[in-house]
Amino acid sequence: MDSNNVVIGVDFGTDSVRTAIVSAADGAEISTAVFNYPRWKDGKYCDAGRNQFRQHPLDYLEGLEYTVRQAVLDAPPGTADKIAGLSIDTTGSTPVAVDRQGTPLALLPEFRENPNAMFILWKDHAAVREAEEINALARSWGGVDYTRYEGGIYSSEWFWAKLLHVLREDPSVAKAAYSWVEHCDWIPAVITGQTDPLTMKRSRCAAGHKAMWHEDFGGLPSEEFLRKLDPHLTGLRARLFEKTFTSDVSVGTLSSEWAHRLGLHAGVKVGVGAFDAHMGAVGGEITPYVLIKIMGTSTCDMLVAPPNDLGNRLVKGICGQVDGSIIPGMIGLEAGQSAFGDVFAWFRDVLMWPIEHIVSQSPLLDTNAREKIVEEVTESLIAELSREAANVPIDESGILALDWMNGRRTPDANQLLKGAVTGLTLGSDAPGIFRALVESTAFGAKKIVERFRSEGVKIEGVIALGGVAKKSSFIMQVVADVLDVPIKVPRSEQTCALGAAMFAAVVAGLYSSVDDAKTSMGSGIETEYRPDPQRAAKYRALYDRYTRLGEYVENEVLRIRRQE
Amino acid sequence: MDSNNVVIGVDFGTDSVRTAIVSAADGAEISTAVFNYPRWKDGKYCDAGRNQFRQHPLDYLEGLEYTVRQAVLDAPPGTADKIAGLSIDTTGSTPVAVDRQGTPLALLPEFRENPNAMFILWKDHAAVREAEEINALARSWGGVDYTRYEGGIYSSEWFWAKLLHVLREDPSVAKAAYSWVEHCDWIPAVITGQTDPLTMKRSRCAAGHKAMWHEDFGGLPSEEFLRKLDPHLTGLRARLFEKTFTSDVSVGTLSSEWAHRLGLHAGVKVGVGAFDAHMGAVGGEITPYVLIKIMGTSTCDMLVAPPNDLGNRLVKGICGQVDGSIIPGMIGLEAGQSAFGDVFAWFRDVLMWPIEHIVSQSPLLDTNAREKIVEEVTESLIAELSREAANVPIDESGILALDWMNGRRTPDANQLLKGAVTGLTLGSDAPGIFRALVESTAFGAKKIVERFRSEGVKIEGVIALGGVAKKSSFIMQVVADVLDVPIKVPRSEQTCALGAAMFAAVVAGLYSSVDDAKTSMGSGIETEYRPDPQRAAKYRALYDRYTRLGEYVENEVLRIRRQE
């Protein structure tokens, strides 16, 4: 391989897009750029109380253009000419309604401000009822249970539930929607100029994990099933896709328009997209039976296993097992927690209320000081709480929380579930509650590890990626103590973008396999958190309480649902 | 009656003492004065994390002297000469260890800074295990169940549990303690110069509700029972008391020393003391089968019934039923919630954390502004939260809290129980949580009403007294909606002090009965909160969820206890 070759990985996260230009030889970072989605940052098109989270396609396109151009500018002169490939990852399931040309409806003038014409972000779960209907029908309709490769429970965070919800809610969008496209499919299609929804190269990762696509079914669920689910879906299957592609496959080269917009040459090969977590797992150097946890606002927990090991075994209650979704040729298994960093951010926001509603109005401060105070506290609060919480002893009869503030993704998806804080006394303070919230997210992580094991999938180690893994040694130590396994954190600050770059190198033909790219381009381990035996023992007792609290909350939700 | 006669009521509350000089003819307030306990305010001798709350006797004596002198100063010239009687009420059970002379040990030089030598405030419940032992022994020892007139469950907040805890914990106090005295017994004893613990006039109210005193038992629990409970108690019974007195009885007249210290004449008659809530119930014009709720940091819920109505019936799970504890000649029934306003203050303190730990250190503010900000937010936060919470709709599947942050007093006392907040989502904000906390305290109030009814004691109305009743129309409306009965709030701002003044008028011989004093001196009703039928219906559904959450928490506590 020409050691001068460079590749680009683009990582569309929840709040921002990050682009990394890296050496294809050793993965060394040449330059990076980040762009915060401006409309999203302003809270546009979202309604947290209704669990509605939408993103405008322009946030993505502006971010792509800005970060690639900026990264090229920050790289040594001549770098642009050496770029061989570009691959992208995105959040998901994050689908959007498109017209016959594959244009997201929100890019048409008449839908410009309509949230239903925008990307439905992964964490939007307005579609709770639709998911329940899909689950009920899959079990009762007499045909194949299409949820079988997605853990047996379809989630409101996924493709069909989301699009059905929008089709029902918004007749104008229903009328104009020719097809539906995942964010990770749309970006490569746009920049290669191949947006026809009927021929667009669709990601195996997205389709297999979120759209009930499987080779055994001959692709997506049958027309009959979809029509039974809702007449709104009649005929849609034929306007979606039959084939899917792993991310070692090229979509094509940059269109001349986009080569120009990005400041790159038109020979750059563009790979099939995938979800951020899956490419991040590759960037974090996933190997068989090592659980990769991407710990950000939520978590995505991934494992790869050789197809021969798993046989026909299905792992119950996880988010899916898909051939080639992470590494081509391996079964990719995905699980995850619906909220992780979001739980801590939620508590921060609750605690910010007096500052935002009283301090920031106080005549004791001038306007400038008011804004700065809000900024200062927002930025430092979680770190300050962590510092204090680290000194709170583990108390087996103390505060116990449940981390289901955003429902539960795995094991056994249920978006109706809610969070709780119990064991409160008049002496309970903010750091004590914060510690219990951290412990609850660690217990949620343990539930996933235990499910894999009880389903016969061994777990030999844990690698942690993502913002929380890099930033909070307090939180990571609690997770290591609760899981009672060592947790390794890779050196790379951008494992998702690095993973995308690894795929770009394969797509560009610089490596013959993803494994080869991973071996050469991986960044190695930076930190290892080792569990403390005494704390681990205490947490085993607390974990039983967590389990019982979860059972109580789940029974309550069932009961309320039956009464409605 | 000479319409010029005036009387003094002194109300020792949790944070402060209030003295009112009122006309004995019509109860009109002539002057009042308040004194915040300085050592208590500084948090001295307390440890909230261990549920240890102690008060120094000097806080009481300084407060008594200051407020009486100040009230006299603020009254028209010559008022001091017209004062015929003085009665006091205090919190309780708030006992203290005394020496042979009846002097609280903390007033001796060697115990000056020892919290175990001070008054053990009503809300101290370090004595959880001692209360459990008392309950276990009362049921198992083969003799009479001494808890029978105290609802069948002895509480860690009460006399014997507290003194046993201190005797075990502190050998120096155990050695020096000749006897034990309730706050409401000690003040009249001090100011009349009759502090000998063997002859001190003890309050029927305190002894009957908190010390398992009953005529049927021949007074306090037997020497045999107490010795079995713990050898520390051997011989103590003989150094306590056999007789008790209702508050229409005079202890004597002011000693010349105290007449001088208070600026009063030595002919002022001093009544037997009682608990604040009980005298407050009289000040709030209690009548048979109207529940008086004193709503402050905790609640005290009282009812009077003619002895013939109740017969031998015992009401299970309340705090006690004692002949003459509220009105001489009537059975006084007492129940209450361990935390009411304290629940809201706790949430305020949790929310204050960022302001106290980040804002108040911020270099953006000068020292003066920092202090003022903390003060401003502390003072306004509950009102601001109430304002926002009033707009939060009642959501039957939303946030649900449990108000046991300070354990549960009634029904069925259990100080091991803890509070909870459930039904949390990423959209849950501070006002929403606050509303759920308010609702939880109202549900706790309903549990008491329902217990009275299920035990065959009718409740024909509710009168609300105390700080919360006077200050928060939002909270009062929620309580009215949840209880589904109208709630009346009397005009007087000082019902406890007014009640004490009514007793003082009887003690001074100005009225022949408490009922007569109450009729002449009562202040009438100021506000009535009427339940809204629609909200009441919604709350009935939520109440069932509250009941189940309580069952879950109670089972968990039992389970953890068994494992310990």
Side-chain angles (χ1 to χ4, degrees), chain A residues 365 397 418 421 424 548 556, chain B residues 365 397 418-419 421 548 556:
Chain A
L365 304 177
S397 61
K418 294 181 178 179
V421 182
L424 296 167
R548 290 195 300 272
E556 267 306 285
Chain B
L365 303 177
S397 62
K418 294 181 177 178
V421 182
R548 290 195 301 270
E556 267 306 285

Side-chain angles (χ1 to χ4, degrees), chain A residues 26 36 142 155 268 271 301 328 359 370 426 502 516 534:
Chain A
D26 61 5
N36 288 302
S155 160
V268 173
D301 300 6
V359 174
R370 286 177 203 170
L426 295 182
M502 290 173 180
D516 287 350
Q534 286 189 316

Side-chain angles (χ1 to χ4, degrees), chain B residues 24-170:
Chain B
D26 60 6
E29 204 172 273
I30 292 165
S31 63
T32 64
V34 181
F35 176 88
N36 287 303
Y37 307 136
R39 298 161 190 81
W40 171 256
K41 198 178 174 191
D42 287 349
K44 279 189 175 169
Y45 317 123
C46 295
D47 181 348
R50 292 176 54 214
N51 276 312
Q52 176 183 300
F53 298 101
R54 306 293 162 88
Q55 291 188 328
H56 200 286
L58 286 179
D59 270 355
Y60 301 154
L61 296 185
E62 290 166 10
L64 175 67
E65 190 170 337
Y66 171 83
T67 56
V68 173
R69 294 193 80 99
Q70 191 61 42
V72 168
L73 269 176
D74 291 347
T79 300
D81 300 333
K82 300 180 200 156
I83 292 168
L86 180 156
S87 285
I88 65 111
D89 65 71
T90 70
T91 68
S93 174
T94 302
V96 71
V98 296
D99 66 7
R100 178 64 191 87
Q101 283 70 46
T103 304
L105 299 185
L107 292 180
L108 307 176
E110 61 270 39
F111 290 107
R112 211 171 44 195
E113 296 293 318
N114 183 343
N116 292 320
M118 298 175 193
F119 285 91
I120 309 168
L121 192 66
W122 63 273
K123 74 174 180 175
D124 182 295
H125 37 80
V128 168
R129 288 192 183 262
E130 285 76 11
E132 282 181 357
E133 290 174 40
I134 291 168
N135 285 310
L137 186 67
R139 263 164 234 135
S140 67
W141 79 302
V144 63
D145 179 356
Y146 290 113
T147 69
R148 58 192 261 107
Y149 295 107
E150 291 177 5
I153 302 176
Y154 201 77
S155 161
S156 66
E157 289 183 0
W158 299 345
F159 188 77
W160 290 107
K162 284 176 162 170
L163 69 87
L164 181 52
H165 183 78
V166 165
L167 290 174
R168 285 173 174 177
E169 187 173 281
D170 196 324

Side-chain angles (χ1 to χ4, degrees), chain A residues 48-49 51 53 123 338-339 342-343 346-347 350-355 357-359 361-365 369 372-373 376-377 380-381 384-385 388 395-400 404-406 417-431 433 544-545 548-550 552-553 556 559-560 563-564, chain B residues 48-49 51 53 123 338-339 342-343 346-347 350-355 357-359 361-365 369 372-373 376-377 380-381 384-385 388 395-400 404-406 417-431 433 544-545 548-550 552-553 556 559-560 563-564:
Chain A
N51 276 312
F53 298 101
K123 75 174 179 174
S338 303
D342 268 351
V343 172
W346 162 77
F347 188 55
V350 169
L351 292 183
M352 288 292 294
W353 198 88
I355 294 174
H357 290 80
I358 303 176
V359 174
Q361 327 281 323
S362 172
L364 290 166
L365 304 177
K372 280 202 173 147
I373 280 282
E376 182 185 336
V377 181
S380 61
L381 186 48
E384 288 296 313
L385 285 169
E388 288 292 318
D395 178 0
E396 286 150 56
S397 61
I399 310 175
L400 176 78
W404 297 342
M405 284 76 179
N406 198 25
L417 299 177
K418 294 181 178 179
V421 182
T422 68
L424 296 167
T425 71
L426 295 182
S428 301
D429 61 6
I433 296 169
D544 290 341
R545 285 186 60 208
R548 290 195 300 272
L549 174 58
Y552 158 75
V553 166
E556 267 306 285
R559 188 195 292 260
I560 291 166
Q563 286 168 352
E564 273 170 14
Chain B
N51 276 312
F53 298 101
K123 74 174 180 175
S338 304
D342 268 351
V343 173
W346 162 77
F347 188 56
V350 169
L351 292 183
M352 287 294 293
W353 199 89
I355 294 174
H357 291 80
I358 304 177
V359 174
Q361 327 281 321
S362 172
L364 289 167
L365 303 177
K372 278 200 176 151
I373 280 282
E376 182 184 336
V377 181
S380 61
L381 186 48
E384 287 297 313
L385 285 169
E388 288 293 319
D395 178 0
E396 286 150 55
S397 62
I399 310 175
L400 176 77
W404 297 343
M405 283 78 180
N406 197 27
L417 299 177
K418 294 181 177 178
V421 182
T422 67
L424 296 167
T425 71
L426 295 182
S428 301
D429 61 6
I433 296 168
D544 290 340
R545 285 187 60 209
R548 290 195 301 270
L549 174 58
Y552 159 76
V553 167
E556 267 306 285
R559 188 196 291 259
I560 292 166
Q563 286 167 352
E564 276 170 12

Side-chain angles (χ1 to χ4, degrees), chain B residues 225-238:
Chain B
F225 176 84
L226 296 172
R227 202 169 43 220
K228 271 196 178 168
L229 184 58
D230 194 296
H232 278 105
L233 302 178
T234 305
L236 176 59
R237 187 178 189 278

